[in-house]
Amino acid sequence: MDLSFKAESPLAPPAELLERLPSCDCLLQGDRCCQSWNPGCQIFFPPSEAPGRPQEQRCWSSFLEHRVPVVTEEVAREALLSFVDSKCCYGSAAAGDLVILELKQQVLRRYRLETFSESRISEWTFQPFTNHSVDGPQRGPSPKLWDIKVQVPPMFQEDTRKFQVPHSSLVKECHKCHGHGRYKCSSCHGAGTVRCPSCSRAKRRARPARRCQMCSGSGRQRCSTCSGRGNKTCATCKGEKKLLHFLQLVIVWKNSLFEFVSEHQLDCPGDLLAKARGETLFKDENTMVYPIVDFPLREMSLASQRGIAEHSAALASRARVLQQRQTIELVPLTEVRYWYQGKTYVYYIYGTDHKVYVVDYPERYCCGCTII
């Protein structure tokens, strides 16, 4: 059997081997990018959805009366002690003996928009054919990808799943081994032996007493790649000689996030405030939410309008929006200025769970040694 040299890794088959199914409507926009790495990949338009409910007038007076608990000196000290205890290189003496000079408190408003969407693409894939029944076009036309019913995961929980498209299977000869099921070993070129790495055939003519112990003077060893057979089982078809090609539906559920935190005068990193736990002031969840236009703080209304517009523009042509949720939260932020051993220091307490951000802690160690 004449086996040609082939790489072991499974590669995509030539595009001409695959047949286009007539019932799949390909999305032309954006298809070029996808096909650059997978010629068999197709992106599909999501079905249009009915508009959401009309916007309602809201009364914000009750929301604005909401207050978060004030951080006292006792709470500030306990928060720092808890933070220090969680750090192996921080000493607790400073946290216990410091003198709090000032508590500067501020309540931030954080707007957050979550858009849970579903996108679908199809791509050709294959697996070794083991003579099982083939669900091909002879059993009927393949359904359109958005007509295939699947179980949606819980809202706002990202997931990716793959399904075989019904009636899309085709059996083809393996494109890697050309139907042989095996390919010639590239290490020994089919000979089953390779040059001895110890003597490189230099000592095969030497005296018997100095004969190479690894190859017994022959100058060659059994090929470890193919175990001396001269060929290897095709890694693509696993020796089955044929491949089952089929369209694979790839469904991606993604939760897109837009966040905005109101301005503040305290020097606490914005990324910490974006992740901080807050107290919900307002929540609106539906298939489609409308921008907030009448909130007393105009920056919140503008953030809502900008977030919804950005998500709409990004997802309109390539995904189906399943659910949206927008919230306005109160995030407490406290700057604590304290005195310890003749110097003034600062740390911040943020979020309703009293997380701590330390700028310069006076009793900090590294590998058990005090940094001087």
Side-chain angles (χ1 to χ4, degrees):
M1 181 170 56
D2 182 21
L3 300 179
S4 58
F5 294 97
K6 294 292 178 181
E8 291 186 57
S9 58
L11 299 177
E16 58 267 17
L17 287 181
L18 306 178
E19 301 175 13
R20 198 178 187 86
L21 299 183
S23 62
C24 290
D25 302 323
C26 183
L27 171 63
L28 299 180
Q29 297 178 353
D31 196 29
R32 186 178 305 170
C33 176
C34 179
Q35 290 192 352
S36 64
W37 62 270
N38 187 351
C41 178
Q42 302 177 51
I43 311 175
F44 293 83
F45 277 120
S48 58
E49 296 290 337
R53 78 219 183 291
Q55 187 176 8
E56 301 173 356
Q57 292 292 328
R58 303 183 180 96
C59 179
W60 297 105
S61 58
S62 59
F63 294 109
L64 296 179
E65 293 172 358
H66 195 85
R67 295 290 184 271
V68 294
V70 175
V71 174
T72 62
E73 289 191 9
E74 181 181 359
V75 172
R77 190 183 301 273
E78 290 178 355
L80 182 60
L81 284 170
S82 178
F83 171 79
V84 168
D85 288 342
S86 67
K87 303 294 182 181
C88 62
C89 296
Y90 282 64
S92 58
D97 298 338
L98 61 83
V99 177
I100 295 179
L101 302 176
E102 181 184 13
L103 296 174
K104 188 182 296 183
Q105 304 188 35
Q106 188 174 357
V107 178
L108 312 179
R109 273 76 176 178
R110 180 177 62 200
Y111 172 81
R112 176 178 289 165
L113 171 67
E114 297 174 89
T115 300
F116 188 60
S117 63
E118 175 184 326
S119 61
R120 298 188 178 195
I121 65 170
S122 73
E123 58 185 9
W124 280 104
T125 187
F126 57 84
Q127 63 187 33
F129 177 61
T130 55
N131 293 319
H132 55 273
S133 60
V134 179
D135 182 17
Q138 71 277 4
R139 296 192 177 182
S142 295
K144 295 182 179 180
L145 294 196
W146 286 100
D147 291 338
I148 299 176
K149 304 298 183 182
V150 299
Q151 182 67 39
V152 178
M155 291 297 166
F156 307 105
Q157 293 188 17
E158 295 187 339
D159 197 4
T160 299
R161 299 179 194 170
K162 299 180 179 180
F163 305 89
Q164 182 174 338
V165 177
H167 316 323
S168 67
S169 299
L170 305 167
V171 178
K172 299 286 185 180
E173 180 184 89
C174 178
H175 56 277
K176 290 300 296 177
C177 65
H178 302 290
H180 295 301
R182 308 184 70 82
Y183 62 88
K184 188 183 294 185
C185 178
S186 59
S187 297
C188 65
H189 302 280
T193 60
V194 294
R195 180 175 295 182
C196 177
S198 178
C199 66
S200 300
R201 303 180 65 179
K203 297 187 177 182
R204 61 175 182 168
R205 293 182 298 274
R207 292 176 301 173
R210 298 180 60 188
R211 181 175 298 175
C212 176
Q213 299 299 315
M214 294 187 67
C215 65
S216 300
S218 66
R220 301 192 68 82
Q221 280 187 312
R222 187 177 70 168
C223 177
S224 60
T225 303
C226 64
S227 301
R229 290 189 296 269
N231 57 73
K232 293 190 67 177
T233 301
C234 177
T236 302
C237 67
K238 309 299 183 184
E240 299 293 340
K241 303 180 180 180
K242 293 183 179 181
L243 295 174
L244 179 70
H245 299 265
F246 56 90
L247 274 177
Q248 183 172 252
L249 168 62
V250 182
I251 304 181
V252 179
W253 289 280
K254 183 179 180 180
N255 190 38
S256 302
L257 181 63
F258 174 90
E259 286 183 322
F260 172 80
V261 179
S262 61
E263 293 185 1
H264 59 92
Q265 289 75 42
L266 304 182
D267 192 20
C268 185
D271 58 335
L272 296 180
L273 299 177
K275 300 175 183 177
R277 184 177 298 178
E279 190 163 335
T280 302
L281 180 66
F282 166 75
K283 179 180 178 181
D284 179 22
E285 181 175 333
N286 211 297
T287 305
M288 179 186 295
V289 297
Y290 280 83
I292 299 172
V293 295
D294 52 353
F295 194 77
L297 297 177
R298 188 168 180 269
E299 58 182 354
M300 292 290 105
S301 297
L302 293 177
S304 175
Q305 296 170 35
R306 185 169 68 252
I308 292 175
E310 288 183 7
H311 282 193
S312 178
L315 301 173
S317 63
R318 61 183 180 87
R320 172 167 52 182
V321 175
L322 302 180
Q323 195 82 350
Q324 286 187 308
R325 178 169 62 197
Q326 61 179 345
T327 57
I328 297 177
E329 298 171 280
L330 300 179
V331 180
L333 174 62
T334 302
E335 180 184 81
V336 183
R337 303 186 67 84
Y338 65 96
W339 181 89
Y340 179 74
Q341 293 186 350
K343 293 184 179 181
T344 302
Y345 300 89
V346 175
Y347 69 92
Y348 296 91
I349 302 174
Y350 61 94
T352 55
D353 51 350
H354 298 156
K355 295 290 185 180
V356 170
Y357 169 67
V358 175
V359 178
D360 185 18
Y361 189 67
E363 194 179 8
R364 188 172 180 177
Y365 306 96
C366 181
C367 301
C369 300
T370 303
I371 299 178
I372 301 177

